[in-house]
Structures are given as C-alpha cells and as structure tokens.
Amino acid sequence: MTEAEDRKPRSDEARYDPEITSEFAVPEGIEVAEGGGGEPETTSEFTVPEGLQSPEPPSAEPEGSAFSLPRTYSAKEAPTAFTPATGMPTVSLVKDAPWQDRMRTMLRMPVAERPAPELVQRAEEGGPAVPRVLDLTLRIGELLLAGGEGAEDVEAAMFAVCRSYGLDRCEPNVTFTLLSISHQPSLVDDPVTSSRTVRRRGTDYTRLAAVFHLVDDLTDPETHVSLEEAYRRLAEIRRNRHPYPGWALTLASGLLAGAASVLVGGDLIVFVAAALGAMLGDRLAWLCAGRGLPEFYQFTVAAMPPAAIGVAFSLSHIDVAASAVVTGGLFALLPGRALVAGVQDGLTGFYITAAARLLEVMYFFVGIVIGVLVVLYFGVKVGGQLNPDAALIVSQRPLIQITASMLLSLTFAVLLQQERSTVLAVTLNGGVAWCVYGAMHYVGGISPVASTAVAAGLVGLFGQLLSRYRFASALPYTTAAIGPLLPGSATYFGLLSMAQNEVDKGLVSLAKAASLAMAIAIGVNLGSEISRLTLRVGSAGKRRAAKRTRGF
C-alpha cells in the first residue's frame, strides 16, 4: 500500500468523525503533506517558512525571554552602547538652593537621569536598614500632610529624607489620606514598599516649621543626623504642645471677626458684636468637637451665633450695620487654607489630592451655608429687615482699614499656631496685600477679582522670599496674609438674598465669592512660581512640570 493510500482512509475518517471540529477538517479533494516539526495547521500563521533556518545557540535564553539577544545581533557589528564614552550628562543643581527646589527638580526627572546621591547621613558602612528609613520618611510626610502642606512639597520632603540616607531609587506617592513610598535597590532586586494612612489633621505651623528644620538638617552635608537622632527629634516634635492656649485661640477668633467687620464698614459697636458672636461660635464648635461630632456640624454650629446677633440688631432697630456683624463672623470660618492648597495641588498635577481638598472645602462651605441660612430664614420670618444692597455701601477709611487688615492677619496667624518670630512678618504681608487691593479697587476702579488676584500674587511672592531667607515652608508667611482678601461679604449677601427668595441675585453673589476665592488661590500659587522662575539666589534652575482643621 502506497503512502497516499495509507493516508486516504485516515482523511475520510477525519472528515466524518463527529468529534473533530469541522472548521479545521481538511476539505475533500485536497491533500496536504504533513511537515516534520511544523506547527499545527490551526496556528499556521506562526509556522516558520520552508527554507528558513534560525537555530539558537545552546547557551541562549529561551525564545521570547526578555534577556535573549535579537536574532540579528552580532558581536562584530554590535549596536552603539546605551552609555556614551563621555558618560551620562550631569544635572547641575545649585548647592545653596533650598532642599525643596532641589528635590522638586529631581522628582520630575526619570530615575536614570537623577544625579548620584551624596550619602549625607550614612554613619555605618552598610548603611541603615531600608525599612526603617522608609518608616521615618512616611512619618515625616504624615506630619507635613496633616499640617496642611501641599502634596508636591510633601513628596519633595519624603524624597529628600530617603536621598539623605543613600536611597536614591525611591518613588514617593501622596494622596489626600494615603502616603506610600517604594524603593528598588537595582533592576534585579525586589522593591520595598511602605505606606501610611493620615487619619487625623491639625493645623500647627510651629510643628510644621520644626519638621522643615529637621528635613533641612538631614539634607545638609555639614550636619550629621543619625537615624536614631532623627527619630528622637521627630518624637519631640510630635509631643510638643501648641504655642498658644485655648483661651488665646478663642480671643483671636473674636478679634479676627471684629477686624473683618471693620473692613466692610463696621464701627466700634459692630466690632464688639462680631467679636462676641465669633467667640461664642468658637466655644460651641469646641463643645461639639469634644462630643465627637464631625467638622461639618462644627462649622454649622459656629456660623449661627454671628448671624443671630446680626438678626437681633435688625429686630431691635439699632442703627448699626447688622450685615457687617454677620460678615465678620464668617471670616473666621471660611476655609481659606484648604482652598489654596486644593487649587495649588491641581495646578501642580496632583489631581486626586486637589479633588479631595476641594470636596472638603465644599462640605465646610455647605455647613456654613446651612448654619447662616437657618438663622436668616427665621430672622426674615419674624420681621428682620436685612438689606442685601448694603453690600454696595462700604465707606473708604484707608488708615482704619489697613490697621484692621493687619490685626486680621495677626489673629489669623495665632489661630494657625505660628511661631512668634513669624507673626510680625505675616502681619506686614497682610497689610501690604490690603493696600494693593484698596489702591487697585477703590482708587483705580479695577474689578475686585483682578485686584484680589494681584494682591494674592504679591502675598505668594513675598511669602516665597521670606521662606527662602529662612529655608522654611512658605505657608506661615502666606496663609494668614490672605485673610483680609477672603470673600466674606460676598458669601453673606449671597446667602441673605437666597433667604429672601431672591435666588438669582444670591447665585450671582455666590459666584462672585467663588471667583474671589479662585483668584486668591491662583494668585498665591502664581506668585510662588514667579519667584522660583526669576530669582537666581536659592534657585535650583528649571523645574520640570508634570498644601485642615477649622478651615484654616
């Protein structure tokens, strides 16, 4: 029997066997020779063509391996090496630049292009244990993020700590509530990853400045700080008490509200009434906090006393600016710092953190709205005469308003628990901001949004100058200084119009308040970026593109 006859019965059997899928059966009348060693007919597109031989060396990696050489590779005609003969181009960083700028510059580089680290803090020959360094890094980042620092600065601080201990191949990651960092010693070693959750937040700029000073010492090649010493200093920072007691914070809250009421046209009686309303609201908020209520309800309760005092003045027909009383009380509650930090994170590419911060601001603002609207609604029902058009009647008293703006910035700095050495600088910065705003808006007739943006830009610029002078964070020099620019009056009159069923007018006023808030946030960030781009002293060159409690 011939080979063809021997194959034919098997072909017929294959055609009529019900167990064989018909798509792959050989059609009748077609004879296909079986190749020795070829791939099955069902995957013929991967079959090696006839006549092509490509044997592999015995010692080569299996075909398809990431480490196998290409088929066309030849040792005599090898491609150009990845590293040129002259070496990789170095990145020039100014040694006198603040560690924030140097770390930002390197964080935006690919890992292969980062300059080799200077082992500043490595004491023993083998270096510290990697898990302990990562744990210290996460604890420092937690304090910074909980204190209100922007996500970009937190990443820069975490990268600086790791780099000071010789861990250069690190990638920090910061979100609103989660910190993580990954270190890979080399391309063939397994990475080590650690994470930490930020559960409690509290604004204390004295603690924030101490953490910045610790990171500055860790990155200083002339200052040796061992890992144990760093842990000891970090524990001291966490144990330190706030610089101002509770009664001082309550008094500062009242003075802030009184100064804000003077800015919008209030007199001495209005000053005292706004201060009493803000202090009562602050004590009620502390009482709610002691009972474990969320911050949303704390803001709702704190917004009620100033609004109630304003309604009481209106019902008693006393010739005072009742609207200024409510406006002053709102200034102490507006979440200015959270808003600025949220916009800053969005502008620097941290969109998840920015969205979370702005959502937090929205919740705080809704709490304030509910507290004020409840009081205003009942005040209107019982006959209170509150006039939304009074927003247009603001007397121009330059000296009194400049003094009030400086007092507002000073009390804001106390509420933020700033160091006493920074209070004077931020007070002057707030006075300059109001002078610029008043000159542009009241004298020059420029729109309030543009005037606010320019004044906030100067606040950010001066804050960066002061922070570079002291190699510290810019937050203590900028946050309190934007206090006089916060849109307290626009917020109140928008709520009042809505309480009087004038929804269209209320929405216009609230839109104006949102525009002013965005102008403040963008202005502060733009001023900071301009200082980094233009200043030669303390600058790390070009930076490759890709900062809660009580609302402050």
Side-chain angles (χ1 to χ4, degrees):
M1 182 182 293
T2 63
E3 184 179 355
E5 292 176 347
D6 186 48
R7 266 200 319 267
K8 186 174 182 180
R10 289 201 300 269
S11 177
D12 293 339
E13 181 182 357
R15 274 204 312 270
Y16 297 106
D17 190 352
E19 304 231 343
I20 298 180
T21 308
S22 61
E23 289 86 351
F24 303 103
V26 179
E28 185 179 359
I30 298 179
E31 295 183 0
V32 180
E34 295 183 4
E39 291 205 356
E41 296 161 356
T42 57
T43 57
S44 59
E45 61 269 23
F46 302 104
T47 306
V48 179
E50 184 179 358
L52 178 61
Q53 301 294 332
S54 56
E56 289 188 6
S59 59
E61 291 280 344
E63 185 177 357
S65 172
F67 301 97
S68 61
L69 296 176
R71 294 182 181 274
T72 58
Y73 179 83
S74 173
K76 296 181 179 180
E77 299 179 359
T80 306
F82 177 77
T83 304
T86 57
M88 294 297 296
T90 59
V91 179
S92 177
L93 297 176
V94 181
K95 291 185 178 181
D96 296 334
W99 60 265
Q100 299 100 308
D101 285 350
R102 291 186 282 113
M103 295 305 114
R104 284 193 195 100
T105 303
M106 285 186 286
L107 272 175
R108 301 302 174 226
M109 295 179 185
V111 177
E113 297 181 13
R114 292 174 184 170
E118 298 176 2
L119 307 184
V120 178
Q121 307 298 337
R122 179 169 291 186
E124 57 273 16
E125 182 179 354
V130 172
R132 296 200 65 198
V133 174
L134 298 184
D135 178 71
L136 175 68
T137 302
L138 291 173
R139 291 177 183 272
I140 290 177
E142 178 190 13
L143 283 181
L144 293 176
L145 189 63
E149 190 63 74
E152 185 181 32
D153 291 325
V154 176
E155 276 198 1
M158 294 172 64
F159 186 72
V161 175
C162 286
R163 193 172 178 83
S164 65
Y165 286 103
L167 307 183
D168 59 325
R169 301 180 64 89
C170 286
E171 292 295 337
N173 186 25
V174 176
T175 59
F176 187 56
T177 57
L178 181 65
L179 299 170
S180 63
I181 187 167
S182 178
H183 168 66
Q184 188 172 12
S186 65
L187 292 175
V188 296
D189 293 328
D190 296 331
V192 181
T193 303
S194 299
S195 62
R196 192 173 182 88
T197 303
V198 180
R199 302 188 184 278
R200 299 190 61 185
R201 299 176 183 273
T203 302
D204 187 344
Y205 282 2
T206 300
R207 179 180 296 176
L208 192 69
V211 175
F212 263 73
H213 185 63
L214 172 60
V215 178
D216 187 39
D217 288 342
L218 289 174
T219 56
D220 189 0
E222 299 180 359
T223 304
H224 177 75
V225 181
S226 64
L227 195 61
E228 297 298 331
E229 176 68 13
Y231 266 108
R232 186 191 64 79
R233 290 179 56 178
L234 189 62
E236 288 181 356
I237 293 173
R238 297 179 69 94
R239 287 196 301 263
N240 282 344
R241 294 184 177 182
H242 300 306
Y244 306 103
W247 64 267
L249 298 180
T250 301
L251 180 61
S253 178
L255 292 177
L256 187 152
S261 66
V262 173
L263 285 179
V264 294
D267 53 11
L268 182 59
I269 298 179
V270 172
F271 179 92
V272 175
L276 290 177
M279 287 190 290
L280 180 59
D282 183 76
R283 286 293 91 190
L284 289 176
W286 278 106
L287 182 62
C288 294
R291 296 295 185 271
L293 287 177
E295 286 183 299
F296 176 86
Y297 303 105
Q298 297 177 30
F299 275 78
T300 302
V301 171
M304 289 183 174
I309 292 178
V311 171
F313 274 129
S314 176
L315 292 175
S316 59
H317 302 289
I318 300 177
D319 188 17
V320 295
S323 300
V325 177
V326 185
T327 299
L330 292 181
F331 262 82
L333 300 175
L334 294 177
R337 173 54 204 155
L339 175 67
V340 173
V343 175
Q344 179 181 354
D345 288 341
L347 294 175
T348 53
F350 295 86
Y351 300 113
I352 297 177
T353 308
R357 289 188 190 271
L358 294 178
L359 183 63
E360 181 189 45
V361 170
M362 187 193 72
Y363 273 106
F364 290 164
F365 189 77
V366 170
I368 297 172
V369 167
I370 292 176
V372 175
L373 276 181
V374 168
V375 176
L376 293 181
Y377 179 78
F378 285 104
V380 171
K381 287 296 183 182
V382 298
Q385 300 297 323
L386 298 171
N387 183 18
D389 295 332
L392 304 176
I393 308 173
V394 178
S395 59
Q396 299 183 21
R397 301 168 293 176
L399 294 179
I400 295 179
Q401 288 179 325
I402 292 173
T403 304
S405 65
M406 295 177 67
L407 177 61
L408 194 154
S409 298
L410 187 148
T411 53
F412 210 161
V414 174
L415 288 175
L416 293 172
Q417 301 281 1
Q418 291 190 197
E419 291 181 298
R420 293 179 174 87
S421 59
T422 64
V423 172
L424 178 59
V426 75
T427 301
L428 295 176
N429 200 8
V432 171
W434 181 260
C435 288
V436 173
Y437 173 80
M440 295 183 63
H441 179 55
Y442 295 118
V443 180
I446 303 175
S447 68
V449 176
S451 304
T452 301
V454 174
L458 289 178
V459 168
L461 179 62
F462 292 154
Q464 281 293 327
L465 288 173
L466 293 171
S467 66
R468 291 178 183 286
Y469 176 73
R470 298 195 176 189
F471 282 79
S473 172
L475 289 184
Y477 303 102
T478 58
T479 305
I482 65 174
L485 305 175
L486 292 176
S489 59
T491 302
Y492 162 67
F493 288 108
L495 299 179
L496 178 58
S497 298
M498 296 183 69
Q500 295 179 345
N501 292 325
E502 298 179 359
V503 180
D504 294 340
K505 186 183 294 185
L507 291 177
V508 170
S509 186
L510 290 178
K512 177 183 176 182
S515 301
L516 292 173
M518 292 296 293
I520 293 173
I522 296 176
V524 170
N525 182 263
L526 183 60
S528 302
E529 295 297 331
I530 289 175
S531 68
R532 294 192 184 109
L533 291 175
T534 58
L535 292 179
R536 299 292 297 176
V537 179
S539 176
K542 294 183 178 180
R543 176 169 60 111
R544 299 193 179 187
K547 296 179 170 177
R548 111 187 156 183
T549 154
R550 303 286 302 153
F552 303 135

